[in-house]
C-alpha cells in the first residue's frame, strides 16, 4: 500500500509518521501516535468525540485525512495540561460534575478550548453555539455549560 | 474501517494543473475540497476513487472580494463556511450570508467544509443552496480548460446529488449582488438532526409601503430547493402584513411535496414550511423597511 511521510507538530512536539493517504487524523493519533484521548464515536462527523485543534481551529479528526496535516500543528486533549496541572477547563469539568461516562468529554473540552481562545468571555448562548454537534448522552449538558462558564471566569481573572 | 480504500492524492497548485489532472483521470478522480461529504461517501462504500484531486492549494480559490461599482460580492468556491461567516467583508456587505453560514452544521464542519463542496455535492439538506435559490442575481462560476461560464442556481441544481456541472468543470466562484434599498432578506431553518429538516429563504422589496418584489425558496423537503412561485405571486402589490404572509406561507407549504422519512412525515414538513415561510417573510419585511 502506498504511504506518505507526514511531519507534524502534536502537542508541541515534532513527530514524523508514515501513513497511507486514506488514513484519518483520528487513527493517525490513536494508532500511530498512541494518543488515545481523542475518541472514535461515529467516524461521520456527527458526534464531536474526535474534536482536536488543527492550527488552533476545532475540527473533527475523523473527517481530516492524515495527509492534510503535514506541516501543521495539532493539539489533542493530552496537550492541554501543563507541568502536570490540569487545564482550567479540565478541572472545572471535574468539579462541576460535567463528566459521567466521559466518552464525549475530550471532544467537549477541545471545542470549549477553541471557544475560549477566540472568545475568553462567552455568553451562555455562545457556549451553546460553540458546542453544537458535541453530543453527550449522559450529562444533559447543563453541567457542561456551567463548567465552561466557570473556566472562562477563571481564565479571564488570570 | 480505519483506512479508506487506497488512493493517491494529487495537489495541483495552479488551475491549469488541476484541469490536466481532471482530464487525465476523468471519473476515476474526485475533486477534494474539505472532504466532509466526499470522505463520508467513500467510507460508506458508495463511491471509491483511485485519485483525489486536492483543490485547496489553487491560488485565490478561497478569496472573498467585493466590487463596489458592480455591487457584487464574490466568494471563492474554496472558502470555508467558517471563513465566510467571520469575513469582515461579508459581515459588512451581506450580513445575511454570514448569518446563514453561521448556522451550517457545527463549528468543526464549518472550519473544514467549503461553500463550493456544499453546492457541488447538491445534498438536498443544504443551507446555502436554499439561500442562493432565492437570492436574485446569484450566479455560480464554472471553469474548465474550455473556458468560464456563469450559471444561475435554478439551472445548476438538477436533482438529488446532481448538478449541471460537467465532469471537467470546477466551481470557482459564487457571485452575489448586494441588496438594493428597501430590500430585505431572511432565512429560517428547523433542525432536529445534523442537517436541516426544512429551510426557507425569503427576499422582499418595498415601494410606497407595498411589496414590489418577492422571492421565496423552500429547501430540504424535496430533492433540490425550489422557488415558491405562486406564493411570491400572492405577495406582489400587497401590504406587508401578517395576514398576507400567512396566506403566502400556506401557498408555499401547499406547493411542496415532501416525502415521509427520518426527518419527519409529509404533513409535519408541510407544517414546518408554513411556519418558517411566515417567519422569514415577516423578518424580510422588517429588514426591508429598515434598509433605507
Ligand atoms: C455532521 C455534518 C453536518 C452537516 N450539516 C450541514 C448543514 O447543517 N447544512 C449544510 O448545508 N451542510 C451540512 N453538512 C454538509 C457539509 O459537508 C457541507 O456543507 C460542506 O460544505 C461540504 O464541503 P466540502 O468542502 O467538505 O466538500 P467535499 O466533501 O470536499 O466535496 C463534496 C463534493 O463536491 C465536489 N467538489 C468540491 N469542491 C468542488 C469545486 N470547487 N468544484 C467542483 N466540485 C467540487 C467533490 O468532488 C465532492 O463530490 C454537514 C456535514 C456533516 C458531516
Ligand atoms: S468520531 Fe468524529 S465526529 Fe464522531
Ligand atoms: S458523559 Fe457520557 S456521553 Fe457525555
Amino acid at each position: 500500500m502506498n504511504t506518505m511521510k507526514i511531519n507534524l507538530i502534536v502537542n508541541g512536539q515534532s513527530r514524523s509518521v508514515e501513513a497511507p493517504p486514506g488514513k484519518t487524523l483520528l487513527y493517525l493519533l490513536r494508532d500511530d501516535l498512541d494518543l488515545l484521548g481523542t475518541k472514535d464515536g461515529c467516524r461521520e462527523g456527527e458526534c464531536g468525540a474526535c474534536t482536536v485543534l488543527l492550527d488552533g481551529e476545532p475540527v473533527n479528526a475523523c473527517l481530516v485525512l492524515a495527509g492534510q496535516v503535514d506541516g501543521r500543528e495539532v493539539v489533542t486533549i493530552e496537550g492541554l495540561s501543563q507541568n502536570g496541572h490540569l487545564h482550567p477547563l479540565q478541572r472545572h469539568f471535574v468539579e462541576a460534575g460535567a463528566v459521567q461516562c466521559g466518552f464525549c468529554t475530550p471532544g467537549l473540552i477541545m471545542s470549549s478550548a477553541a471557544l475560549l481562545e477566540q472568545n475568553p468571555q462567552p455568553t451562555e448562548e455562545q457556549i451553546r453555539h460553540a458546542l453544537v454537534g458535541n453530543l453527550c448522552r449522559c450529562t444533559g449538558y447543563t453541567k457542561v455549560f456551567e463548567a465552561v462558564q466557570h473556566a472562562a471566569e477563571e481564565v479571564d481573572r488570570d | 474501517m480505519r483506512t479508506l480504500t487506497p488512493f493517491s492524492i494529487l495537489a495541483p497548485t495552479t488551475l491549469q494543473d488541476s484541469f490536466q489532472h481532471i482530464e487525465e483521470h476523468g471519473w476515476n478522480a474526485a475533486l477534494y475540497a474539505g472532504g466532509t461529504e466526499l470522505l463520508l461517501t467513500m467510507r460508506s462504500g458508495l463511491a471509491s476513487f483511485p485519485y483525489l484531486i486536492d483543490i485547496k492549494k489553487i491560488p485565490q480559490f478561497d478569496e472573498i472580494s467585493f466590487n463596489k461599482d458592480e455591487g457584487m460580492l464574490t466568494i471563492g468556491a474554496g472558502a470555508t463556511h467558517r471563513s465566510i461567516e467571520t469575513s469582515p467583508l461579508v459581515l459588512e456587505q451581506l450580513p445575511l450570508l454570514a448569518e446563514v453560514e453561521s448556522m451550517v452544521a457545527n463549528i468543526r464542519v464549518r472550519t473544514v467544509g467549503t461553500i463550493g463542496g456544499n453546492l457541488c455535492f447538491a445534498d438536498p439538506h443544504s443551507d446555502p443552496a436554499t439561500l442562493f435559490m432565492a437570492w436574485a442575481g446569484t450566479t455560480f462560476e464554472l471553469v474548465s480548460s474550455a473556458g468560464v461560464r456563469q450559471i444561475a442556481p435554478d439551472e445548476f441544481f438538477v436533482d438529488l446529488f446532481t448538478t449541471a456541472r460537467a465532469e471537467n468543470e470546477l466551481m470557482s466562484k459564487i457571485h452575489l449582488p448586494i441588496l438594493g434599498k428597501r430590500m430585505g432578506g431572511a432565512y429560517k431553518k428547523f433542525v432536529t438532526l445534523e442537517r436541516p429538516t426544512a429551510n426557507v429563504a425569503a427576499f422582499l422589496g418595498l415601494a410606497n409601503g407595498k411589496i414590489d418584489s418577492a422571492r421565496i425558496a423552500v429547501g430540504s423537503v424535496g430533492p433540490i430547493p425550489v422557488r415558491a412561485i405562486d406564493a411570491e405571486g400572492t405577495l406582489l402589490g400587497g401590504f406587508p402584513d401578517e395576514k398576507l404572509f400567512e396566506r403566502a406561507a400556506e401557498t408555499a407549504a401547499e406547493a411542496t411535496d415532501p416525502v415521509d422519512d427520518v426527518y419527519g412525515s409529509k404533513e409535519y414538513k408541510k407544517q414546518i414550511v408554513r411556519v418558517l415561510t411566515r417567519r422569514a417573510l415577516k423578518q424580510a419585511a422588517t429588514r426591508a423597511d429598515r434598509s433605507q
Side-chain angles (χ1 to χ4, degrees), chain A residues 45, chain B residues 31 33-38 81 105 114 117-118 120 126-127 171 195:
Chain B
L31 297 175
T36 60
E37 295 285 22
L38 181 66
H81 297 295
T114 64
N118 180 300
C120 292
S126 159
D127 293 294
M171 183 182 281
R195 292 165 172 76

Side-chain angles (χ1 to χ4, degrees), chain A residues 89 93 107-117 127 130-131 134 144 148:
Chain A
L89 275 166
F93 265 65
L108 276 166
I109 291 184
M110 294 316 289
S111 292
S112 306
L115 169 68
L116 295 191
E117 196 56 47
I127 295 173
L131 297 182
N134 276 105
V144 171
V148 179

Side-chain angles (χ1 to χ4, degrees), chain A residues 63-111:
Chain A
L63 289 186
V64 174
L65 289 180
Q68 302 288 302
V69 300
D70 187 43
R72 299 173 75 181
E73 184 165 359
V74 177
V75 180
T76 70
I77 187 74
E78 289 91 344
L80 284 192
S81 63
Q82 287 194 337
N83 309 322
H85 294 289
L86 292 182
H87 185 280
L89 275 166
Q90 293 173 305
R91 199 154 26 74
H92 284 288
F93 265 65
V94 174
E95 284 171 9
V99 183
Q100 288 190 25
C101 79
F103 198 80
C104 66
T105 313
L108 276 166
I109 291 184
M110 294 316 289
S111 292

Side-chain angles (χ1 to χ4, degrees), chain B residues 28-236:
Chain B
N28 276 328
L31 297 175
Y32 167 41
T36 60
E37 295 285 22
L38 181 66
L39 299 185
L40 296 187
T41 318
M42 291 170 68
R43 180 158 307 141
S44 63
L46 287 175
S48 78
F49 303 95
Y51 297 95
L52 299 193
I53 305 174
D54 180 353
I55 49 182
K56 291 186 290 295
K57 296 195 171 69
I58 301 173
Q60 277 109 45
F61 197 53
D62 58 356
E63 198 171 77
I64 300 174
S65 62
F66 178 56
N67 182 325
K68 199 167 170 216
D69 297 337
E70 291 175 14
M72 276 283 183
L73 192 79
T74 297
I75 315 273
T80 61
H81 297 295
R82 183 76 180 145
S83 68
I84 300 170
E85 159 194 5
T86 55
S87 154
L89 211 48
V90 176
L91 285 162
E92 190 188 320
Q93 300 299 338
L94 292 176
L96 176 61
L97 176 63
E99 184 186 325
V100 173
E101 287 289 273
S102 77
M103 291 190 230
V104 172
N106 55 60
I107 189 166
R108 293 171 303 284
V109 172
R110 291 199 299 279
T111 297
V112 173
T114 64
I115 188 89
N118 180 300
L119 300 171
C120 292
F121 194 65
D123 187 304
H125 300 273
S126 159
D127 293 294
T130 302
L131 178 72
F132 296 153
M133 192 63 117
W135 199 308
T138 298
T139 56
F140 304 147
E141 189 170 305
L142 300 174
V143 289
S144 70
S145 52
V148 182
R149 66 174 173 135
Q150 309 288 337
I151 183 166
D154 58 351
E155 289 167 42
F156 181 75
F157 297 111
V158 174
D159 203 347
L160 201 70
F161 304 112
T162 311
T163 69
R165 180 177 73 88
E167 180 194 353
N168 66 342
E169 284 179 319
L170 209 114
M171 183 182 281
S172 53
K173 291 173 183 156
I174 294 118
H175 300 288
L176 295 161
I178 56 166
L179 299 185
K181 295 209 188 323
R182 305 293 287 163
M183 282 278 298
Y187 175 81
K188 300 286 166 194
K189 76 191 269 195
F190 181 76
V191 199
T192 49
L193 304 170
E194 277 295 330
R195 292 165 172 76
T197 299
N199 51 10
V200 174
F203 291 84
L204 291 178
L206 300 176
N208 307 318
K210 287 186 181 171
I211 297 170
D212 75 339
S213 70
R215 306 251 309 189
I216 304 171
V218 177
S220 301
V221 294
I224 57 171
V226 287
R227 290 267 301 282
I229 305 273
D230 289 345
E232 293 172 0
T234 62
L235 292 164
L236 290 177

